[in-house]
């Protein structure tokens, strides 16, 4: 047992995973500590004024929710919560539904290329007459197609279950929801379909990030750890740090959830950001990571 213990300890420290985690924690600690500064009288007064503005915004938001609830009562229409067919199907793939669990599988599939790099299987694959760039993007495309097929299967299964479970499966009622300072409306079917399509960038983006990180670091552990950190905790971290200004436009986890609900539960919906602006930033992240990954894979000593 002593030999096994020593061997495992040696293998762990040789992998440098511990060093990577220490660097990440150190950087986060440095970020947090540098954000703290002693404040003079003018600064703390400005902080209180800023807080009052935020409280007023929260008050206005509560007022809009009140108006939304009153509208549903006046129209005698049940809102699309998780207890309704429309609400359930519209949130299956979003962060408010199974999304936080479903996204794990595409990320694991995408990070699978790291295992081929770790066990040297890539040496045999690259003996075929194809360029590294062709292989990189061909495999990435297969990962994205597999992700879409997986999501289609999950949607089909949930649709069949919902059709048997819910008594009222009508999708033609009007749905009202909050976007910024407005209360908008759409049909139930349009609401479901738009939420399904708006949830796809979440899965495709993090599949690309996981795949690219796996080729950059040649480690499935690092790829999975970093990608899952941002995919599962990113939105909570952003809200926890109190980042509520325009800088959230450049923080991927803050804008990745562009689905709608009857209340402003995410940064995108509570702001005046457009879907096209969010998609543009998401595309920038996808291009950045894919190019970085392709360059690292092309120059790697395999």
């Amino acid at each position: 047992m002593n030999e096994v213990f020593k061997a495992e300890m040696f293998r762990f420290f040789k992998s440098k995973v511990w060093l990577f985690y220490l660097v990440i924690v150190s950087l986060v600690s440095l970020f947090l500590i540098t954000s703290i500064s002693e404040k003079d009288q003018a600064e703390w007064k400005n902080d209180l004024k800023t807080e009052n503005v935020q409280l007023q915004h929260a008050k206005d938001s509560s007022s809009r929710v009140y108006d939304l609830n009153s509208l549903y009562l006046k129209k005698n229409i049940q809102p699309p919560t998780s207890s309704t067919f429309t609400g359930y199907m519209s949130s299956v793939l979003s962060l408010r539904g199974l999304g936080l669990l479903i996204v794990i599988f595409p990320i694991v599939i995408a990070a699978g290329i790291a295992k081929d790099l770790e066990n040297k299987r890539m040496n045999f694959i690259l003996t075929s007459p194809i360029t590294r760039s062709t292989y990189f993007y061909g495999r990435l495309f297969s990962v994205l197609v597999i992700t879409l097929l997986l999501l289609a299967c999950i949607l089909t299964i949930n649709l069949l279950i919902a059709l048997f479970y819910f008594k009222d499966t009508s999708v033609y009622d009007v749905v009202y929801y909050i976007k910024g300072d407005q209360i908008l409306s759409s049909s139930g079917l349009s609401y479901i379909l738009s939420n399904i399509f708006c949830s796809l960038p979440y899965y495709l983006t993090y599949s690309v990030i996981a795949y690219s990180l796996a080729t950059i670091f040649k480690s499935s552990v690092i790829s999975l750890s970093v990608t899952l950190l941002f995919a599962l905790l990113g939105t909570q971290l952003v809200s926890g740090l109190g980042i509520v200004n325009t800088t959230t436009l450049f923080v991927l986890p803050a804008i990745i959830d562009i689905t709608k609900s009857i209340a402003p539960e995410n940064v995108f919906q509570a702001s005046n950001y457009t879907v096209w602006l969010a998609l543009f930033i998401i595309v920038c992240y996808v291009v950045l990571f894919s190019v970085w990954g392709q360059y690292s894979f092309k120059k790697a000593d395999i």
Side-chain angles (χ1 to χ4, degrees):
M1 188 176 72
N2 188 37
E3 287 75 12
V4 174
F5 173 76
K6 290 181 179 179
E8 289 298 316
M9 291 295 293
F10 176 78
R11 188 166 68 90
F12 173 76
F13 284 106
K14 186 179 179 181
S15 67
K16 299 296 189 299
V17 174
W18 61 274
L19 182 60
F20 172 77
Y21 282 123
L22 286 180
V23 171
I24 292 297
V25 173
S26 300
L27 290 176
V28 174
S29 300
L30 182 63
F31 170 77
L32 292 176
I33 197 69
T34 53
S35 64
I36 301 173
S37 60
E38 295 184 1
K39 300 177 181 180
D40 56 29
Q41 186 176 20
E43 289 178 319
W44 68 257
K45 285 185 176 180
N46 287 333
D47 288 345
L48 290 181
K49 292 178 181 178
T50 302
E51 185 177 359
N52 282 342
V53 172
Q54 294 175 346
L55 291 173
Q56 181 63 44
H57 176 74
K59 182 180 179 181
D60 294 338
S61 177
S62 299
S63 176
R64 288 193 296 272
V65 174
Y66 176 85
D67 294 337
L68 180 66
N69 293 341
S70 300
L71 184 60
Y72 274 112
L73 290 172
K74 180 181 178 180
K75 300 289 185 178
N76 195 26
I77 299 175
Q78 184 176 359
T81 61
S82 57
S83 60
T84 65
F85 178 82
T86 300
Y88 178 80
M89 289 305 303
S90 64
S91 63
V92 167
L93 298 183
S94 74
L95 297 181
R96 306 179 188 90
L98 296 174
L100 291 176
L101 177 62
I102 297 173
V103 73
I104 295 176
F105 299 102
I107 290 176
V108 171
I109 295 172
I113 190 174
K115 293 184 179 180
D116 293 335
L117 294 169
E118 291 170 345
N119 59 23
K120 304 301 181 182
R121 180 172 175 266
M122 193 62 68
N123 294 339
F124 299 98
I125 296 176
L126 294 179
T127 56
S128 58
I130 58 173
T131 64
R132 291 193 179 189
S133 297
T134 302
Y135 179 82
F136 177 87
Y137 287 112
R139 183 159 178 170
L140 175 59
F141 182 70
S142 69
V143 167
L144 298 181
V145 171
I146 291 172
T147 300
L148 291 176
L149 291 175
L150 175 66
L151 296 178
C153 292
I154 293 173
L155 272 175
T156 302
I157 292 172
N158 279 273
L159 175 61
L160 294 175
I161 294 174
L163 287 174
F164 280 101
Y165 180 78
F166 292 102
K167 295 180 180 179
D168 184 7
T169 58
S170 174
V171 293
Y172 298 105
D173 290 334
V174 178
V175 174
Y176 299 97
Y177 59 92
I178 296 174
K179 177 66 174 75
D181 297 327
Q182 298 178 307
I183 295 180
L184 305 178
S185 64
S186 69
S187 67
L189 181 60
S190 175
Y191 185 78
I192 293 174
L193 293 178
S194 64
N195 266 12
I196 290 175
F197 284 111
C198 286
S199 65
L200 295 182
Y202 175 67
Y203 300 93
L204 300 181
T205 301
Y206 285 118
S207 295
V208 172
I209 292 177
Y211 181 82
S212 300
L213 290 178
T215 58
I216 293 169
F217 296 103
K218 301 182 182 132
S219 170
S220 56
V221 174
I222 294 177
S223 173
L224 291 173
S225 300
V226 175
T227 310
L228 288 174
L229 172 66
F230 281 96
L232 303 182
L233 300 178
T235 307
Q236 286 79 1
L237 286 176
V238 169
S239 60
L241 292 174
I243 305 175
V244 293
N245 51 34
T246 54
T247 57
T248 53
L249 277 172
F250 306 99
V251 182
L252 182 60
I255 57 141
I256 198 69
D257 183 13
I258 56 177
T259 57
K260 302 186 290 286
S261 72
I262 60 171
E265 296 179 0
N266 57 42
V267 174
F268 168 77
Q269 192 173 349
S271 67
N272 291 318
Y273 305 157
T274 65
V275 173
W276 296 113
L277 178 59
L279 289 177
F280 172 75
I281 297 172
I282 291 171
V283 169
C284 290
Y285 273 95
V286 169
V287 172
L288 173 65
F289 275 93
S290 59
V291 171
W292 184 18
Q294 185 268 341
Y295 178 81
S296 300
F297 185 70
K298 188 177 180 179
K299 298 295 183 181
D301 182 18
I302 301 175

